Structures are given as structure tokens and as C-alpha cells.
Amino acid sequence: MKKIICFLLALIFLTSCGSFGNKNSNVNTNELIFFKGENREVRNKKLIEDLEHFESVMLEKHQKEYRYITDEDFKNRIKELKSNIDNISDSEFVVEIQRIMSYFKEGHLSFLNPSQAILPFYLKTFDDGTYIIGIEKEYEEYNFSKVKSINGIKIKDIREKAKEIISGDNKYNIDYWVDYYITDLDYLVGLKLISNVNEINVVIEKDKKEFNVKFKPKINRDVKTEKSEYSKTEEFKKNKENYKKSILKLIEKSSGKEREKLENDFKKIDNLEFVTYNYIGKSFLEIDNIPYKMNPTQYYTFETFPKNNTMVLHYNKCFSEEYKPFDKFSAEFFNYIRDNKNLLEINNIIIDLRYNEGGSETVFLSFLDELEKYEKENKKLKIHILVGRNTFSAGTKAVYSLKKKFKDVTIYGEPLAGGIYSSGNVTQDILPNSKLIFSYGQSFFDNTKDNKDLFTDKEIKENVLIPNEILKPTIKDYIDNRDYVLEEILNRMKK
């Protein structure tokens, strides 16, 4: 689940990009092999071409305003991998090129998980360990079990090894996302943690009893890619014009360095590219890992809690739905309060951003404006923000915007996945031969500029905003299908 790629994903056009998988895999280990029937010399040449393409894109197209790794260091690491290409397997190539990406330390930068050989469950790490929080029906008796080890290696050690190849804005970002990597078995092979993806032994604990379970992975080596050039569609042009209008509004309200930066951003809009790729035929699980009855595919919705004098905005994606644009939704949210003022006394508004992984930051502006109006009408109003390990990209920007505009907001949850400074306007590219898909940022955003008072020195140093109060769900909340964090806040607001 890493990653939202850009704020303008939509129409996808299928193209013939060739095969990523290879049916000539070793039948005993079912290992990842890129090129069907090619000898070692040809294979090496193709992977070196891929490395040269990756190097060119990152040096020429990835944002240049701030890079944690120097160009020279980056080129040296590419050179070193080239020289070692004949000594590594294709799974190790996937790991090592991802490792090079990790030195950028930016959450938007990654290679898409191959997902050709995956374990039949989702994992989530809580304070007391790593648990299965969603599983294929065949193994449902093991759902909510604690994972102790995989093929004899402690889960803690596997997590630490996998963290080495993840590019993240901050340590929390990496710690959250590692659970997605360790169920992708090609990564574990490439990290030399396992040697055979066909059968995996997992030691689990449930009800204080340990079990050694042999899980059969979901494997498909015949995977292709599809490409979408969204920037060429009419919908993109429409959204781009709306984006320009939003930036112009921000420019009108700003001054000094902030205005100068916005004006520079406005000039760059026409040069931005938004291309995306997807794997077709990869293995996947249709399991939802949200611990309460909410539709995570719904961009935004609201709930009313009269006994708590509270309205909750669930803002799950920074996109505007066609059937109800977000500006109309925002107006409807506050008109609902006004129209029912004889029945409701709404003194608390909760903005739930826990599952917002991003999109377009300008979408949220209409809600900010409406909230500002309502704050002037209701002097008793208190604003609360819920954040978590999925709050990322434009989702984090919404948090910063609320914190900047309203003095007394209170933030609850877990440290954000998204950084205070990070890359943005994300697009994708693909390695021409192995067909590995990767993302990179065309812009850089530093939310400390003219806003340093919003963050502590420690937060700026660690590149993460820490909530005013840490509130985390436990595995028991998942078992009980309970939204502990929201319930806890609502309980404090009872009449």
C-alpha cells in the first residue's frame, strides 16, 4: 500500500509494455526471472541499460531543490551495482535498486512492489508485536494472530532488514510501511532472508498458544504493465486549470517569500508531467484492514454525534468527486449545522485524516474557508484533528493548513507518515527492460518556510509532526471492530 502517486490519477490507457514476469522460472524455487530464454550476457546488458535509464531520470527529472543524497554519491552507487550485476539474482537486483532509492529519504520515492509472490495475509505492527489483520478465507482461523517468525527468522529481524530498502520522509514513515514489504516474498528472497517462495513456514501465536503454519503464497509470474498518460486527457486539462485558479487565489492572499514561492510554482505547472503505470496480473488480496465499518474508497463523508455536540469530517482522499465536488460538500457540511441549529449545538468539529494518503492539496481550501466562517459564528467551537500512519502527502498538508489557520487545534493519533518537507507533484517512470515501475517527485515542498512556529525543533529535525496526544489502536480494537481513537475523543465531549 505505499504510496499515492499524484493528485491527478484517473483514466488509464492500456499499452503493450511487454512482460515483467518470466515463465521459465526455476520450478523448484519459483524464483523471479526477468527475461525469458535470454543468456546471462544479454540479461546483464539489459539490466545495465535499466540502471542507466534510472540514473538519467533521477538526475534530470527528480526535483533538484533538496536532495539528501548527492548526485556524485548516487552515480557511484549506480556504478557499483552495474559492476556487480553478474553476481546477483533478479530478486537481488530488485532489492539493490530499491536500496539506492532509499538513500534519497523521500516517502514519495519508491519502486512499486512486484507483488508476484505474496503471503496470503496483511500485517500490521502494534506496540506489542506484528499481527495478521486480514487473511485469505482458507486461513481465516489464524486471523489476528501474532507473527513470531518467518522461515525461522524472527519477525523483528526481518522488519529491520527490510527497512534498509525503504525510502521514507521519516523513521515513522519507514516503520509503518515495512509491513507491506515483508509479505512480498521477492523482497525477502532478494534480502537473502528466504530462498524458496513456494512454501513459507510462519510461527504464530494465538490465545497464548504457538503454531507452526505452512502458508501457500499467491504466485503469478506472468505479469504485464499498463500505462496512463493522464496529462494528455481532457480531464487533466480541466483539473490543471482548476489547480491554477486555486494557486492564483493563494497568491492573492499571500505576501513576501510565500507569495514569491507560489508565483514560481504557478509558472512550473505547465511543465509538470503525470504518467502512471500499473502491473496487470499481479497477485493481490481483497482484504480491508480498516478496523471499523467505514468505506475507505469514499473520498469524504460526515457524521453527526448530537450527544457529544460534535460533527466529524472523514476526509479520506484529497480528490473531488464528480457527483458531489468537495466545495459543494463543504458548504453542505456547514449548512447542515446551521439548518439544524435548533436541534444541534455543534461546538466540536473533528477532521479525521487518518486514512488520507494525499491527492491535491488545493481541494481542501474550500473546507478551510467554510470552517473559518463558522468559527466566527460560534465562539465556543473547538477543532480537533485525527491523524495516523496513513496520513501522507497532501493529507499532511491539510494538517499543516489547519494548524496554521486556527490557533487552538488539538491533534490526536500517531505521528504522521508524511514529512514536514518532502517531494511532491509525483509522477512515474518504468525501466525499459525489466519493467520495474518507480515514482519520483517533480517539486519540493518545505512547510517550515515562514511557518517554523508551527513545529518544534525536534519535529523539524526528525521531519515529522507529532500529535498533541498519542492515541493508538490495539489488536483488540481490530478484533472487536472498534474505532478506539474516535470513541475516546467523542467520550470526552459528552454533555
Side-chain angles (χ1 to χ4, degrees):
M1 195 215 90
K2 199 174 177 188
K3 327 193 177 10
I4 13 210
I5 302 306
C6 64
F7 68 85
L8 296 167
L9 269 174
L11 300 177
I12 294 178
F13 296 95
L14 194 63
T15 64
S16 56
C17 293
S19 176
F20 170 38
N22 188 333
K23 294 180 181 178
N24 281 5
S25 300
N26 184 302
V27 293
N28 294 320
T29 63
N30 213 343
E31 66 184 284
L32 173 68
I33 300 176
F34 288 127
F35 310 116
K36 183 178 180 179
E38 300 286 9
N39 63 41
R40 193 71 175 175
E41 184 178 351
V42 173
R43 174 260 191 193
N44 293 348
K45 182 180 177 182
K46 286 185 175 181
L47 291 183
I48 287 172
E49 288 174 354
D50 281 355
L51 284 170
E52 289 170 347
H53 179 78
F54 174 56
E55 179 180 23
S56 173
V57 170
M58 295 305 292
L59 289 175
E60 296 173 15
K61 294 186 176 182
H62 179 55
Q63 61 84 15
K64 297 178 176 64
E65 189 173 342
Y66 174 82
R67 293 182 180 182
Y68 192 88
I69 183 174
T70 66
D71 289 355
E72 195 63 31
D73 191 9
F74 174 66
K75 287 188 283 189
N76 285 337
R77 292 183 185 279
I78 293 288
K79 184 179 179 181
E80 183 180 357
L81 184 52
K82 281 184 187 178
S83 68
N84 198 38
I85 208 74
D86 191 45
N87 300 318
I88 62 174
S89 67
D90 290 356
S91 293
E92 288 171 314
F93 176 81
V94 171
V95 162
E96 294 311 315
I97 196 169
Q98 178 79 37
R99 190 188 304 277
I100 292 174
M101 181 75 92
S102 74
Y103 291 111
F104 283 87
K105 297 185 183 293
E106 296 178 41
H108 279 114
L109 274 59
S110 72
F111 281 84
L112 264 64
N113 291 26
S115 299
Q116 293 188 23
I118 61 174
L119 287 168
F121 49 73
Y122 287 147
L123 294 176
K124 186 165 185 172
T125 299
F126 300 86
D127 286 347
D128 65 331
T130 299
Y131 288 82
I132 295 171
I133 49 87
I135 197 165
E136 294 270 289
K137 190 171 181 62
E138 179 183 354
Y139 302 104
E140 62 184 353
E141 64 184 292
Y142 304 118
N143 204 20
F144 305 124
S145 298
K146 180 187 284 190
V147 176
K148 308 283 282 189
S149 67
I150 298 176
N151 280 18
I153 304 174
K154 291 180 180 179
I155 192 69
K156 181 181 178 182
D157 295 335
I158 293 174
R159 281 174 52 83
E160 290 305 310
K161 194 73 175 174
K163 285 179 185 181
E164 295 174 4
I165 64 169
I166 301 175
S167 182
D169 286 342
N170 52 60
K171 63 182 181 181
Y172 301 97
N173 187 187
I174 294 171
D175 193 55
Y176 298 155
W177 285 350
V178 70
D179 290 332
Y180 297 107
Y181 281 73
I182 61 181
T183 55
D184 195 316
L185 297 176
D186 288 325
Y187 283 132
L188 299 192
V189 172
L191 288 164
K192 300 181 180 179
L193 295 169
I194 65 171
S195 58
N196 187 334
V197 302
N198 284 335
E199 196 169 79
I200 305 297
N201 297 316
V202 182
V203 174
I204 60 173
E205 180 186 293
K206 190 169 186 179
D207 299 327
K208 298 182 179 180
K209 295 179 181 178
E210 280 196 2
F211 304 88
N212 191 333
V213 184
K214 291 184 177 180
F215 286 99
K216 184 179 179 181
K218 300 188 74 172
I219 302 173
N220 181 20
R221 292 301 187 197
D222 188 20
V223 176
K224 300 184 185 298
T225 56
E226 66 177 7
K227 178 183 180 182
S228 163
E229 293 190 77
Y230 185 52
S231 54
K232 293 182 180 180
T233 67
E234 288 301 316
E235 185 173 350
F236 170 82
K237 293 173 184 175
K238 178 182 176 182
N239 282 330
K240 185 171 73 172
E241 290 307 311
N242 289 336
Y243 183 50
K244 283 182 173 180
K245 290 176 184 177
S246 298
I247 295 294
L248 286 172
K249 286 182 181 178
L250 290 175
I251 290 172
E252 289 173 8
K253 296 178 181 180
S254 64
S255 60
K257 291 182 179 179
E258 184 180 359
R259 184 186 183 95
E260 185 179 336
K261 185 181 185 305
L262 287 168
E263 288 173 341
N264 288 331
D265 289 344
F266 182 81
K267 292 173 185 176
K268 295 176 185 176
I269 291 174
D270 287 328
N271 295 323
L272 295 176
E273 297 178 1
F274 293 99
V275 179
T276 61
Y277 297 84
N278 284 297
Y279 292 130
I280 303 299
K282 70 179 184 178
S283 300
F284 66 94
L285 309 178
E286 294 185 9
I287 303 170
D288 183 20
N289 70 337
I290 291 182
Y292 57 97
K293 294 174 182 177
M294 183 194 85
N295 182 0
T297 63
Q298 193 168 18
Y299 293 0
Y300 34 81
T301 185
F302 68 81
E303 292 183 277
T304 308
F305 296 89
K307 292 181 180 179
N308 311 81
N309 298 336
T310 301
M311 286 272 286
V312 179
L313 164 67
H314 297 290
Y315 187 47
N316 302 321
K317 296 185 180 182
C318 298
F319 293 90
S320 190
E321 293 182 333
E322 188 174 351
Y323 82 96
K324 184 182 287 185
F326 190 69
D327 56 348
K328 291 184 179 179
F329 170 87
S330 297
E332 181 182 294
F333 180 99
F334 290 97
N335 285 337
Y336 180 87
I337 298 174
R338 295 183 184 102
D339 292 344
N340 292 279
K341 63 182 180 181
N342 293 329
L343 300 172
L344 302 172
E345 185 182 357
I346 301 301
N347 295 326
N348 300 285
I349 290 179
I350 298 174
I351 297 103
D352 183 1
L353 296 161
R354 287 173 293 171
Y355 303 101
N356 194 316
E357 295 183 336
S360 170
E361 65 182 69
T362 60
V363 172
F364 195 58
L365 296 177
S366 59
F367 189 87
L368 288 174
D369 290 341
E370 293 289 347
L371 181 56
E372 189 174 30
K373 292 176 191 174
Y374 184 69
E375 185 190 40
K376 291 175 181 176
E377 297 172 21
N378 185 351
K379 301 302 182 184
K380 296 180 181 179
L381 181 66
K382 293 182 179 178
I383 300 168
H384 313 266
I385 309 171
L386 304 187
V387 297
R389 57 181 66 189
N390 293 97
T391 310
F392 184 70
S393 192
T396 64
K397 183 65 176 179
V399 180
Y400 307 147
S401 298
L402 286 162
K403 192 173 169 69
K404 181 179 179 180
K405 187 176 279 286
F406 305 100
K407 283 185 178 181
D408 298 321
V409 298
T410 306
I411 304 173
Y412 305 91
E414 298 178 80
L416 282 67
I420 296 170
Y421 41 91
S422 65
S423 56
N425 286 323
V426 179
T427 189
Q428 289 184 327
D429 208 311
I430 188 169
L431 300 185
N433 299 312
S434 62
K435 304 302 178 187
L436 290 172
I437 299 166
F438 65 97
S439 59
Y440 64 92
Q442 301 173 90
S443 307
F444 180 77
F445 299 100
D446 184 355
N447 289 288
T448 65
K449 287 187 176 179
D450 301 321
N451 296 307
K452 278 196 173 182
D453 57 322
L454 297 181
F455 312 103
T456 66
D457 290 342
K458 185 175 185 292
E459 287 175 327
I460 293 172
K461 183 179 180 180
E462 296 186 356
N463 194 24
V464 62
L465 185 145
I466 305 296
N468 298 103
E469 183 176 348
I470 300 293
L471 292 174
K472 302 178 183 179
T474 65
I475 188 61
K476 189 176 186 306
D477 297 320
Y478 273 66
I479 294 170
D480 296 340
N481 195 33
R482 176 193 177 204
D483 185 359
Y484 158 73
V485 176
L486 181 57
E487 286 182 16
E488 176 66 22
I489 302 306
L490 287 173
N491 285 337
R492 301 176 187 185
M493 299 172 183
K494 284 185 177 178
K495 289 181 180 178

